[in-house]
Amino acid sequence: MTVDTVGPFRVVGELGQGGMGRVLLGAGRDGRLVAVKQVHEEFAEDEAFRARFRREVEASRRVSGAYTAAVVAADTEAATPWLASEFVPGPSLRQVLDDTGPLPEDAARRLAAGLARALLDVHGAGLVHRDLKPSNVLLAEDGVRVIDFGIARAAEEGGQTRITHTGALVGSPAFMSPEQVEGRDPTPASDVFALGATLVTACTGKGPFPGRSAPQMFYAIVHSEPDLGAVPPGLRPVVAACLAKDPAARPTPQQVLQMVGMVAPAARPWPEAVHRLIAGQRAEVARQVAAPVPRMDPTVPGTRPARGRKLAVLSGVALLLVAVGAGVLLLGDKDENGVPSALWVVVPEEVPTPGGTPLSQVSDRYTGKLPDCEQATAAVRIPGGFAPFGKGVANSVFKSGDGTSLHSGCTWTSRSGDKIVLDWQLFSTGKGPGTGAEQAKDRHEGLYLRGRSKREKDVGYAEEVHRLAAEKSLSDNNCVYYVRDVNLTVFLALSGPRFPRGGCDADAHAFAKGAVQAVPR
């Protein structure tokens, strides 16, 4: 049996597909084009996944405005649930950067205003987008569209985020705020941080924080100042304000609009190279619409339309997921329990907590100050030939969300290019949500990467450690360890020829042990 329709929409072509569903180009009875996200049948049978899809539909319906792609229709109770949104021809900002390079200052200013206006609509609906980034921003003929509310969450829900339940980060590493990295609830201010990171990327082609791996980015997001040297001077103040570490210090979207100032009207708002991309996409859509109706077999998730190639168009519901071929999921990475990555969104991961006492009842073990770099050099037993790189940070107060923590950080380097990086964070009961142990656990799990991190317990010097597997994604760091002992966390990274990838675990444990023991109880 073949299918030519989804709900009331005739299938015209395919926009994209993945492990969880496919996105089709559809046409209504009135001829209007829509983008239809259709969930694969195997996931439609999972009630937890269906519930998440209902929430996505509800979130998308609550947002309306000229700067988002509006929901046209949906059926979450169908045998194969689907969601249809306004079809917006136009490349994503990610595609524009890849194909034509960074935007000039006037176009970046227009982008900033459009993103701020879109966030006003999103936040006005009581939502936090949580995944604003270049691939979720379309440059349409008439301006900006913000798309994909697949992980949007109601701002008033409160409580724990998914990260504290599963140890999985929700969002895209390069565009996450410090509070998201630390596992705290994202707020509208988190979207403003992502707006700032997106603007830096639009102006320079790269993000504001260095790192070729997620852990490097996470560390920089929380502890380093953004690199704004290549951002046009006229936009630098608004970008810097958006990227403030403290959410309370960031401007609101309305204040961003005021900082950007008046944007001149334009019939063609983007550089000509962008408008050529839009014209090319429109031509491809016209060709597909004029072609005979493609017929698709709904029993084979990977089936493509019988005629024509995939449309090179991003729409407001495209791009979830992992590729599918001939009905067989390409499972990708597996976590420590053997669960394939394609199923992580529906199979929660247990988050172990060592000890039999709930963390809410655990008293702080560490109550003094953290070591400075001179003290740490002796306590950690940094090898000869290494010298401190810079002054480091000693006992600075780090603000995040509604809590504060104490932070020290040191780096040592050798002439042969070796590097040791240590970072301490001390959480105290009464200075944040929950006990110090609960806060430290949130921080620890916030840096856990499912499928990449390996948990270790009973290491002797701390309650728990997770380390990143030695692989190319670690970039320059050959050993990366995250340590938690009650209300203390320690980050350790080793790189250079002295610490070869796959052969530096003994050194890492020794340095981590010294780092924990260097903190007075």
Side-chain angles (χ1 to χ4, degrees):
M1 183 179 82
T2 57
V3 141
D4 298 331
T5 61
V6 177
F9 302 104
R10 176 173 63 87
V11 174
V12 174
E14 181 182 318
L15 299 174
Q17 64 173 307
M20 306 303 168
R22 54 189 173 190
V23 183
L24 309 172
L25 179 66
R29 297 180 67 87
D30 59 356
R32 181 182 185 182
L33 294 176
V34 295
V36 183
K37 176 191 289 185
Q38 188 179 45
V39 176
H40 286 328
E41 290 183 355
E42 61 265 38
F43 292 103
E45 296 173 358
D46 185 284
E47 185 53 40
F49 184 88
R50 189 181 283 267
R52 290 181 68 249
F53 189 73
R54 290 191 194 104
R55 288 195 296 270
E56 176 183 348
V57 171
E58 180 184 353
S60 300
R61 276 179 161 158
R62 287 169 62 176
V63 181
S64 61
Y67 298 88
T68 59
V71 172
V72 175
D75 188 350
T76 61
E77 307 309 316
T80 304
W82 56 269
L83 162 67
S85 71
E86 173 189 9
F87 174 68
V88 181
S92 72
L93 175 59
R94 179 73 273 159
Q95 182 183 349
V96 167
L97 294 173
D98 291 343
D99 291 356
T100 69
L103 297 179
E105 182 172 357
D106 59 340
R109 184 176 296 276
R110 188 180 304 278
L111 172 68
L115 292 178
R117 189 63 186 80
L119 289 184
L120 281 175
D121 293 337
V122 174
H123 299 164
L127 296 170
V128 180
H129 190 287
R130 307 207 302 170
D131 198 25
L132 184 65
K133 58 185 178 181
S135 59
N136 282 340
V137 175
L138 302 185
L139 303 188
E141 284 181 321
D142 58 349
V144 174
R145 295 288 195 284
V146 171
I147 63 171
D148 199 348
F149 295 87
I151 63 172
R153 191 67 57 87
E156 68 271 14
E157 281 184 2
Q160 291 183 314
T161 61
R162 180 170 171 261
I163 186 173
T164 58
H165 292 299
T166 68
L169 288 167
V170 179
S172 301
F175 302 93
M176 292 174 69
S177 64
E179 58 270 24
Q180 285 175 285
V181 169
E182 293 194 318
R184 304 190 185 280
D185 288 334
T187 67
S190 306
D191 285 344
V192 173
F193 189 94
L195 185 157
T198 298
L199 282 180
V200 174
T201 306
C203 293
T204 69
K206 60 182 181 180
F209 297 99
R212 287 176 288 173
S213 67
Q216 289 177 329
M217 288 181 188
F218 294 155
Y219 182 84
I221 287 169
V222 174
H223 300 298
S224 303
E225 291 304 311
D227 180 5
L228 305 183
V231 175
L235 283 174
R236 210 170 290 161
V238 64
V239 169
C242 290
L243 294 177
K245 303 295 186 188
D246 183 357
R250 297 172 205 150
T252 64
Q254 184 63 52
Q255 290 170 329
V256 171
L257 280 173
Q258 293 170 353
M259 296 174 73
V260 169
M262 186 67 67
V263 177
R268 294 172 70 82
W270 308 116
E272 282 306 309
V274 177
H275 283 284
R276 285 195 294 271
L277 289 176
I278 297 172
Q281 292 178 354
R282 282 196 174 280
E284 176 61 22
V285 169
R287 189 185 73 79
Q288 289 280 9
V289 170
V293 177
R295 302 181 68 81
M296 303 181 69
D297 185 349
T299 65
V300 181
T303 300
R304 292 180 170 84
R307 179 182 177 89
R309 62 182 178 86
K310 286 187 181 179
L311 301 180
V313 181
L314 292 174
S315 74
V317 291
L319 304 181
L320 272 179
L321 310 148
V322 182
V324 170
V328 179
L329 285 172
L330 301 180
L331 299 178
D333 294 335
K334 294 183 179 181
D335 66 16
E336 290 185 281
N337 298 314
V339 179
S341 59
L343 301 179
W344 289 352
V345 295
V346 293
V347 180
E349 182 179 28
E350 180 183 358
V351 178
T353 301
T357 304
L359 293 180
S360 60
Q361 301 174 20
V362 173
S363 300
D364 293 351
R365 174 174 294 174
Y366 301 91
T367 57
K369 289 188 175 181
L370 296 170
D372 58 28
C373 293
E374 182 178 352
Q375 295 166 333
T377 299
V380 179
R381 298 181 180 180
I382 299 299
F386 282 81
F389 182 80
K391 295 182 179 180
V393 177
N395 291 289
S396 67
V397 176
F398 181 77
K399 296 183 179 180
S400 177
D402 55 355
T404 62
S405 58
L406 207 59
H407 165 234
S408 285
C410 305
T411 298
W412 297 266
T413 59
S414 74
R415 290 187 176 182
S416 57
D418 305 301
K419 183 185 291 186
I420 303 169
V421 178
L422 272 171
D423 179 271
W424 295 260
Q425 210 161 348
L426 182 62
F427 301 86
S428 301
T429 301
K431 295 186 177 181
T435 64
E438 287 179 305
Q439 297 173 59
K441 179 65 172 177
D442 280 347
R443 163 70 174 170
H444 186 69
E445 293 302 328
L447 295 171
Y448 180 86
L449 296 178
R450 190 171 182 180
R452 301 288 180 88
S453 299
K454 305 297 182 184
R455 297 186 185 274
E456 293 186 19
K457 295 181 289 184
D458 303 322
V459 294
Y461 56 87
E463 288 193 304
E464 56 184 333
V465 173
H466 65 247
R467 59 183 175 85
L468 289 181
E471 54 179 65
K472 63 182 180 181
S473 66
L474 295 183
S475 186
D476 294 333
N477 291 325
N478 298 332
C479 267
V480 176
Y481 275 45
Y482 298 100
V483 182
R484 184 188 71 85
D485 193 47
V486 191
N487 58 316
L488 173 71
T489 64
V490 176
F491 166 82
L492 168 69
L494 304 179
S495 59
R498 180 180 178 128
F499 308 114
R501 188 167 298 167
C504 49
D505 287 314
D507 284 320
H509 273 302
F511 293 143
K513 179 179 180 180
V516 171
Q517 293 177 343
V519 181
R521 299 188 179 188

